[in-house]
Amino acid sequence: KMLQRVLCTVLFMGALPSLAEVSQGHISVVLLGATGDLAKKYLWQGLFQLYMDQVSSGHSFTFHGAALTALEPGQRLMFDVLKKLACPPDESPNRCAVLKDQFLKLSQYHQLKTTENYTVLNREIETLLRQEGLKEAGRIFYFSVPPFAYTEIARHINSSCRPPPGAWLRVVLEKPFGHDLESAQQLAAELTSFFKEEEMYRVDHYLGKQAVAHILPFRDQNRQFLDPIWNRHHVERVEIVLKETVDAKGRTSFYEQYGVIRDVLQNHLTEALMFLTMELPANMSRAEEVLQSKLQAFQSLRGLEKNSAVLGQYQAYASQVQEELQKAQDYISTTPTFAGVLIHSDSLRWEGVPFLLTSGKALDERVGYVRVLFKNRAYCTQSETLRDAEHSQCKAKQIIFYIGHGALNTPAVLVSRNLFRPVMPESSWREAVGQSDLHVFGQPLSDYYVYSPVKERDAYSVLISNIYHARKDFFITTENLLASWGFWTPLLDSISHQPLRLYPGGVENQHLLDFEMVSGEVAFTLAEPVGLLNPNRLMPSDYRTIQSKFRQSPLVSAWSEELISQMASDIEKTASRTVAQSGQFHLALSGGSSPAVLFQRLARHHYAFPWKHTHIWLVDERCVPLTDTESNFFSLHNHLLQNVRVPYFNVHPMPVHLNQRLCVEEDRGTELYAKEIMALVANASFDLVLLGVGTDGHTASLFPRSETGLEGAQTVVLTESPVKPHQRMSLSLPLINKAKQVFVLVLGKGKHDITTLLSRVGHEPRKWPISGVSPSSGQLVWYVDYEALLG
């Protein structure tokens, strides 16, 4: 009997203490994709390591390699790999030889293609166990196949290859788990129809990297030191980085679909981010508590915007894509091979702390690390050469989880000596000595307590061991997967056609990919050299010239996001200059959907805005209660006022709701507002008025052929809108024209026709009220995006 012979040989080697312990049951491991790259490089070695570690655990094993390849060629390919398996250096050669021989005897190849193939495999496992008189403990199915094959394989396993009641099933899945939120939801729904949540183990091999896997235990074992400082008051920033020197050559088919954010940031780097930001559960050994804390950390992440990321692509990528995927010579790829993303958490612990996630191909070095940099409030009078690393408060304070490669070339945990001496498990981590000439982040190694693993383990060996031990907290649950995609998908959608910074690759990149944080955004520090820009095949005659004037007034034009950014900056500059001159700034704002984006921009990115000295007025208002979602004031409050510190008495909503009535003439709401303006605004001349344009040429709530507001002495008027709600209150055209500055914002393709028309017509406010905007002694500036301008 095969298994009995194997066990006897192992017993003879002294691997098992007694026959009594050979009774915990049998585990069948089925590796699908057994002849593929991942299996060759890592998985068979990981399974062999599992066998070496667990041969004396009381379980017996068989290993079934499976693929679509026919029996004989598949068998040959698989055993070519198995013969090259290696033991760790600390394993005795004799024991290694015996265990390797037994592992080969316990391994067999199967072609798994049809339902019948799975039925036959199931029958073989049952027959073997019956012959050996063994009880089945469970089955592991490792999917080392493309995700498009998951559903069909899952159906076969569920219908033909499940273990009997009382034995467990563990199904191991490799990324990618979808391309975005929608595809991840679809794949998850398909898998959930065949497997229970506790049966699925989604692999992110970074969770098996020793330095990453030690982040949570490190935080737990060093709570006494970290509890006071692991927060926004003490942490300056966090960097999570994976740099590669290799490019995507040979993998462009995969890379064109996924790019660097989907390949690395959405999974590997986000998992490390969760380990850093999540609250530590009371019981770290309870996987469900760890997973729940991780989910809560996802929910506290602030949504990403287009300007949260900088993107690049190495120069040779386009030609590699053209060559490997047979694309035309003028094909331009918008796939990023480099990304730097700024993330914020709105949790109480981390609010305001920047988390920088960075990864790329064709960079200057191969290295991965997680770096927590602490604030330093000290000033040391002693010269730097005389400072003692252990006691000098002026040296940088940081904790680094060094994932591998780079200067150290080994996983490591480094803690600045002027922070604390960490508690580390002696059984698995030892303090490193020597290498004093090495520097990490500008500091000699002697400035740190440095710990490296007692035994370096490959990530897949660690994860396969965790699958065996049912450690679900080392894997991605469906809930956490969808939370991650929910976080990243809006950014991926917004940058899908964003221009990429080209970089030459390797050390030649120099400072080209350096980026900086400004007002909650990231931007490249250096301008892109003209020589690197994409060659464009357009002829000179294909371009349209954008004038710097529109209707004889200055024109600012860009893509909508850049335009909003520019306008917000211009408003802030105007506000700061005006407050410096006169002590206050009177700003009149229009309603509508376009200004809402501007309001959000001002609230999120312009922290230096002099809100304390700003008065907010309404250009127009719908005759609905101020709490109604149709109200311009309601939108202004939602998108801006509740997020900035404007003094309550500086906010001036239009009095459309008086005596429980809406815009009734005898209530004299227009007169009230006019008097308020006269009392507070010098000469009734606003410092800045923001207007929009309707597709019919209206502006504020002044509509074509309006009976009031286009001329005359009245400053605030009641008007009629052609669309509901019909009644409006609005500043009059003569009052708008008294402003020192008027900005007109026009966004979107829907405004192209009216923009074209306005570029041709003269001063005809009765037909097109916006054409009557012409400040008598102030300046008019048009902000028109490319879609409205060019169609």
Side-chain angles (χ1 to χ4, degrees):
K1 288 183 177 180
M2 182 190 72
L3 279 174
Q4 285 184 353
R5 280 201 307 276
V6 168
L7 287 172
C8 287
T9 312
V10 174
L11 275 167
F12 179 73
M13 290 296 299
L16 284 174
S18 72
L19 269 169
E21 292 186 29
V22 192
S23 59
Q24 286 193 33
H26 182 78
I27 296 171
S28 304
V29 182
V30 182
L31 175 54
L32 297 132
T35 55
D37 268 0
L38 187 65
K40 285 179 196 169
K41 282 184 187 168
Y42 302 110
L43 300 182
W44 279 116
Q45 186 63 49
L47 291 173
F48 180 43
Q49 186 65 54
L50 174 73
Y51 180 64
M52 285 189 284
D53 292 343
Q54 302 303 329
V55 71
S56 58
S57 67
H59 281 125
S60 58
F61 293 88
T62 45
F63 299 90
H64 305 264
L68 298 174
T69 313
L71 192 61
E72 278 189 34
Q75 215 163 24
R76 196 164 51 249
L77 283 168
M78 185 180 105
F79 278 96
D80 282 348
V81 176
L82 297 191
K83 284 168 195 167
K84 292 172 188 162
L85 293 175
C87 291
D90 56 352
E91 193 65 78
S92 77
N94 280 359
R95 185 171 188 269
C96 176
V98 170
L99 289 176
K100 188 173 169 182
D101 181 54
Q102 302 311 330
F103 183 77
L104 264 66
K105 284 178 181 165
L106 294 171
S107 303
Q108 49 191 288
Y109 177 81
H110 306 260
Q111 184 183 31
L112 286 186
K113 210 171 184 180
T114 63
T115 309
E116 179 58 26
N117 293 150
Y118 284 85
T119 308
V120 168
L121 172 63
N122 186 59
R123 201 162 44 239
E124 282 182 21
I125 292 172
E126 287 175 349
T127 305
L128 176 73
L129 294 175
R130 199 167 46 251
Q131 286 172 351
E132 303 286 350
L134 291 167
K135 178 173 171 277
E136 186 158 17
R139 295 180 192 179
I140 295 171
F141 283 87
Y142 201 120
F143 286 38
S144 179
V145 295
F148 66 74
Y150 283 4
T151 307
E152 189 188 350
I153 293 170
R155 187 180 290 110
H156 287 317
I157 292 170
N158 188 52
S159 63
S160 316
C161 224
R162 271 189 171 274
W168 46 257
L169 172 67
R170 290 175 198 153
V171 174
V172 188
L173 305 160
E174 277 285 342
K175 80 174 184 77
F177 311 117
H179 184 264
D180 53 17
L181 179 58
E182 190 183 349
S183 57
Q185 285 170 327
Q186 187 182 340
L187 181 58
E190 287 167 2
L191 290 169
T192 307
S193 65
F194 301 115
F195 305 127
K196 298 174 194 162
E197 181 62 37
E198 63 267 24
E199 291 176 333
M200 289 186 281
Y201 289 70
R202 286 187 188 84
V203 168
D204 183 323
H205 77 271
Y206 252 58
L207 298 186
K209 299 271 185 188
Q210 284 169 291
V212 177
H214 195 63
I215 294 173
L216 283 184
F218 179 88
R219 287 181 59 194
D220 183 42
Q221 289 152 17
N222 290 282
R223 284 187 198 231
Q224 57 172 326
F225 306 117
L226 290 176
D227 276 354
I229 62 170
W230 200 254
N231 54 53
R232 62 194 168 99
H233 302 296
H234 295 272
V235 175
E236 182 180 306
R237 71 179 191 198
V238 178
E239 300 164 7
I240 305 174
V241 175
L242 171 60
K243 291 166 70 177
E244 297 183 88
T245 51
V246 296
D247 60 19
K249 194 168 187 180
R251 291 184 72 224
T252 56
S253 172
F254 168 82
Y255 226 73
E256 269 299 270
Q257 288 183 66
Y258 289 92
V260 68
I261 294 180
R262 290 180 174 91
D263 186 34
V264 176
L265 278 79
Q266 179 271 327
N267 36 71
H268 304 331
L269 304 194
T270 301
E271 288 303 315
L273 174 70
M274 292 302 99
F275 283 170
L276 294 167
T277 57
M278 65 186 264
E279 294 301 312
L280 290 180
N283 188 349
M284 288 287 291
S285 60
R286 286 177 59 82
E288 55 271 34
E289 282 189 36
V290 174
L291 292 166
Q292 198 52 42
S293 284
K294 197 200 257 191
L295 193 61
Q296 285 163 0
F298 266 120
Q299 289 158 353
S300 68
L301 294 180
R302 189 184 303 169
L304 294 172
E305 296 176 4
K306 192 175 180 179
N307 293 328
S308 303
V310 287
L311 306 170
Q313 184 188 91
Y314 65 84
Q315 260 181 294
Y317 180 76
S319 58
Q320 288 171 355
V321 170
Q322 288 165 10
E323 184 187 332
E324 290 179 23
L325 305 182
Q326 280 84 54
K327 297 282 184 184
Q329 280 301 300
D330 59 353
Y331 174 78
I332 294 173
S333 168
T334 56
T335 302
T337 61
F338 168 84
V341 179
L342 173 61
I343 294 176
H344 282 99
S345 167
D346 285 329
S347 68
L348 283 173
R349 182 185 292 276
W350 296 114
E351 189 182 13
V353 177
F355 290 84
L356 290 165
L357 274 59
T358 308
S359 186
K361 291 195 173 290
L363 300 183
D364 61 316
E365 62 174 338
R366 185 184 184 192
V367 69
Y369 58 83
V370 173
R371 181 190 183 205
V372 182
L373 188 66
F374 291 86
K375 294 175 182 175
N376 204 331
R377 299 182 178 89
Y379 173 77
C380 301
T381 50
Q382 185 83 314
S383 73
E384 196 167 338
T385 50
L386 298 168
R387 289 181 202 159
D388 165 18
E390 206 142 341
H391 301 107
S392 169
Q393 288 308 299
C394 275
K395 294 220 176 209
K397 300 177 179 183
Q398 48 197 333
I399 297 173
I400 302 155
F401 299 94
Y402 204 88
I403 298 163
H405 306 293
L408 293 181
N409 204 30
T410 174
V413 176
L414 298 89
V415 179
S416 292
R417 288 179 177 270
N418 55 4
L419 271 174
F420 58 88
R421 177 185 276 276
V423 175
M424 295 291 280
E426 286 179 21
S427 57
S428 51
W429 291 82
R430 61 168 167 239
E431 192 165 359
V433 287
Q435 294 188 300
S436 54
D437 55 328
L438 274 181
H439 281 66
V440 177
F441 298 113
Q443 288 181 269
L445 224 48
S446 56
D447 280 5
Y448 303 95
Y449 295 111
V450 183
Y451 297 85
S452 56
V454 170
K455 187 191 267 190
E456 249 188 85
R457 295 285 298 269
D458 163 69
Y460 277 98
S461 298
V462 172
L463 291 173
I464 287 169
S465 171
N466 287 327
I467 295 161
Y468 169 80
H469 288 292
R471 286 291 307 272
K472 285 284 285 183
D473 48 328
F474 278 84
F475 300 88
I476 315 299
T477 63
T478 303
E479 216 173 0
N480 275 288
L481 173 72
L482 298 182
S484 179
W485 275 121
F487 173 67
W488 284 101
T489 299
L491 176 72
L492 289 162
D493 289 344
S494 73
I495 61 172
S496 56
H497 298 295
Q498 189 170 320
L500 306 169
R501 163 153 298 191
L502 291 180
Y503 58 96
V507 291
E508 287 179 50
N509 296 334
Q510 295 187 37
H511 300 294
L512 202 57
L513 296 177
D514 292 355
F515 56 93
E516 58 191 8
M517 296 175 281
V518 184
S519 302
E521 296 181 350
V522 282
F524 284 117
T525 311
L526 298 179
E528 185 164 17
V530 176
L532 282 172
L533 295 173
N534 263 328
N536 203 315
R537 300 213 168 247
L538 292 172
M539 298 302 291
S541 57
D542 295 325
Y543 289 93
R544 287 182 58 182
T545 305
I546 296 173
Q547 303 294 329
S548 58
K549 296 263 181 182
F550 184 79
R551 294 182 56 81
Q552 288 77 54
S553 293
L555 168 68
V556 179
S557 192
W559 293 111
S560 59
E561 287 194 38
E562 286 80 4
L563 189 72
I564 291 290
S565 173
Q566 183 62 51
M567 184 181 235
S569 296
D570 291 348
I571 292 173
E572 184 183 338
K573 281 176 198 161
T574 306
S576 300
R577 189 171 60 245
T578 306
V579 169
Q581 288 165 357
S582 63
Q584 53 189 4
F585 176 59
H586 288 276
L587 174 64
L589 298 169
S590 282
S593 55
S594 298
V597 191
L598 173 71
F599 300 158
Q600 289 172 355
R601 177 89 203 167
L602 285 166
R604 290 185 185 178
H605 299 289
H606 291 267
Y607 304 116
F609 199 102
W611 293 115
K612 188 179 174 185
H613 305 286
T614 298
H615 283 258
I616 304 278
W617 302 85
L618 271 288
V619 168
D620 63 329
E621 182 58 282
R622 295 172 165 94
C623 291
V624 294
L626 299 186
T627 52
D628 192 300
T629 52
E630 290 275 355
S631 160
N632 287 346
F633 183 79
F634 182 86
S635 171
L636 176 65
H637 175 267
N638 260 18
H639 297 299
L640 178 66
L641 297 180
Q642 68 175 352
N643 300 312
V644 297
R645 294 186 176 183
V646 182
Y648 176 78
F649 43 82
N650 281 13
V651 179
H652 309 280
M654 280 186 156
V656 292
H657 198 193
L658 293 170
N659 305 315
Q660 306 301 307
R661 303 190 297 184
L662 292 166
C663 294
V664 174
E665 275 197 50
E666 53 264 39
D667 289 337
R668 297 183 170 181
T670 54
E671 287 177 38
L672 276 173
Y673 209 54
K675 280 181 185 171
E676 196 175 358
I677 292 168
M678 289 301 293
L680 294 171
V681 183
N683 304 319
S685 173
F686 290 105
D687 296 304
L688 177 60
V689 174
L690 172 70
L691 298 176
V693 179
T695 51
D696 59 354
H698 83 263
T699 190
S701 282
L702 304 172
F703 296 93
R705 290 169 294 282
S706 179
E707 297 297 316
T708 54
L710 296 178
E711 53 196 16
Q714 243 186 313
T715 53
V716 184
V717 295
L718 290 176
T719 68
E720 286 285 322
S721 163
V723 294
K724 286 186 176 180
H726 295 301
Q727 278 191 301
R728 308 283 175 96
M729 187 180 286
S730 181
L731 302 186
S732 70
L733 198 53
L735 180 61
I736 289 169
N737 283 335
K738 286 180 77 174
K740 296 185 181 80
Q741 284 210 81
V742 178
F743 287 179
V744 181
L745 176 61
V746 191
L747 297 178
K749 264 188 187 163
K751 301 287 175 71
H752 176 58
D753 290 345
I754 187 65
T755 306
T756 306
L757 180 71
L758 290 171
S759 68
R760 298 175 187 147
V761 302
H763 181 86
E764 296 186 65
R766 291 202 66 75
K767 280 189 181 177
W768 303 286
I770 187 68
S771 73
V773 176
S774 179
S776 49
S777 57
Q779 185 189 38
L780 169 63
V781 183
W782 291 83
Y783 290 80
V784 188
D785 79 346
Y786 289 152
E787 290 195 323
L789 197 65
L790 304 175

